[in-house]
Amino acid sequence: MAAPVDRREKVLILGGTAEAAAIARRLVDAGADVVTSLAGRTSNPAPLPGRTRIGGFGGAEGLARYIAENGITKVIDATHPFANRISQNARLACAAAGIPLEQPERPTWKKQPGDNWIEVQSLEEAAAALPAGARAFLALGRQHLAAFEGRSDCHFVVRMVDPPETPLGFADCDLLLGKASADPEEEANLFRLHRVTHLVCRNSGGEAGYGKITAARKMGLPVVMVGRAA
Ligand SMILES: NC(=O)c1ccc[n+]([C@@H]2O[C@H](COP(=O)([O-])OP(=O)(O)OC[C@H]3O[C@@H](n4cnc5c(N)ncnc54)[C@H](OP(=O)(O)O)[C@@H]3O)[C@@H](O)[C@H]2O)c1
């Protein structure tokens, strides 16, 4: 049974992740007044428990204004671990508004026996780490692909939720529409189908995106793993 909640609370969840949806479910089931905020990066987001609002707030000041105008009493920042700007805005806005902020941490993936990780600190380093002739699966959002466009000696396999609005800037690439699967077998089938030799991803942590890591381990594929910023 869900824990009782303070019914005077009005919770703003900064979302866009599976964890945020699970938190919304738990709070709504417990009777809380919940609104989840999405950045609006995908055109058809899955419906969420409680209310939803979509689009940027206009920086930390805009978020502080939203908090005041909507009587928000608590913010839960459950955004993606690489979404640093909105998390920083949440810290500033909640401090300014004098309301509590929860920022649950999503632990990074840890290297397991059998993993062949090339650990790098940036997308540029990741692009440089690929050998000529690699067929690299880029498990990265649209806004993180530019660093790889100069590698015309590699073939890229790119997966996106929505079709790109402008053509991708790769000399040679396969574009797949869809989401990551938590099922390693599904991810492995995709890697085989596209004759993938390297996986490139960021160390996001979490279960939803771990299928590809397990698949790479089972197939002996090198993973170029971009670490989280300090
Ligand atoms: N980064 C990823 O790889 C990734 C992966 C999966 C899901 N997501 C989700 O996608 C969203 C955007 O990620 P990002 O890396 O572009 O974030 P970001 O760089 O931290 O944020 C850029 C700007 O997008 C707006 N924004 C971000 N998250 C928002 C939210 N939940 N509600 C309203 N506005 C939001 C804010 O605009 P204003 O300054 O105008 O308020 C923010 O300044 C996040 O909600 C994140 O959870 C990101």
Side-chain angles (χ1 to χ4, degrees), residues 14-17 37-39 41 53 55-59 79-80 82-86 89 143 202:
L14 302 172
T17 59
S37 175
L38 302 175
R41 300 285 190 267
R53 68 160 299 284
F57 295 96
T79 54
H80 189 270
F82 279 85
N84 293 327
R85 198 166 345 143
I86 187 71
N89 289 352
Q143 66 272 37
R202 297 181 302 168

Side-chain angles (χ1 to χ4, degrees), residues 5-209:
V5 298
D6 181 345
R7 285 174 190 276
R8 289 163 303 180
E9 256 189 1
K10 249 186 127 174
V11 182
L12 171 65
I13 301 174
L14 302 172
T17 59
E19 287 85 351
I23 293 169
R25 171 85 283 150
R26 182 167 50 76
L27 292 181
V28 167
D29 285 351
D33 184 355
V34 173
V35 57
T36 299
S37 175
L38 302 175
R41 300 285 190 267
T42 55
S43 57
N44 279 311
L48 291 163
R51 287 171 294 123
T52 304
R53 68 160 299 284
I54 298 182
F57 295 96
E61 282 177 16
L63 178 53
R65 206 174 314 119
Y66 179 91
I67 288 169
E69 285 172 357
N70 292 277
I72 301 296
T73 58
K74 180 162 91 176
V75 175
I76 302 177
D77 172 16
T79 54
H80 189 270
F82 279 85
N84 293 327
R85 198 166 345 143
I86 187 71
S87 295
Q88 171 65 1
N89 289 352
R91 284 189 282 276
L92 294 171
C94 288
I99 62 164
L101 168 66
E102 289 178 18
Q103 291 187 305
E105 200 191 333
R106 193 202 281 180
T108 54
W109 295 316
K110 303 288 182 295
K111 207 168 156 186
Q112 303 296 319
D115 279 333
N116 176 7
W117 288 7
I118 302 161
E119 296 185 71
V120 297
Q121 290 310 315
S122 68
L123 294 165
E124 289 69 24
E125 276 183 45
L130 293 171
R135 294 179 61 86
F137 189 101
L138 301 183
L140 303 166
R142 171 77 175 96
Q143 66 272 37
H144 307 297
L145 302 178
F148 299 86
E149 288 175 2
R151 291 300 308 268
S152 52
D153 55 342
C154 296
H155 175 89
F156 293 102
V157 183
V158 178
R159 174 165 58 194
M160 293 181 175
V161 178
D162 293 316
E165 284 168 8
T166 52
L168 298 179
F170 295 110
D172 189 14
C173 106
D174 297 339
L175 172 63
L176 316 176
L177 294 182
K179 286 187 178 174
S181 170
D183 178 358
E185 220 20 69
E186 269 185 45
E187 298 291 67
N189 284 340
L190 214 53
F191 294 165
R192 280 188 213 104
L193 188 67
H194 292 273
R195 294 180 286 120
V196 166
T197 60
H198 291 73
L199 167 65
V200 181
C201 65
R202 297 181 302 168
N203 196 335
S204 306
E207 288 171 20

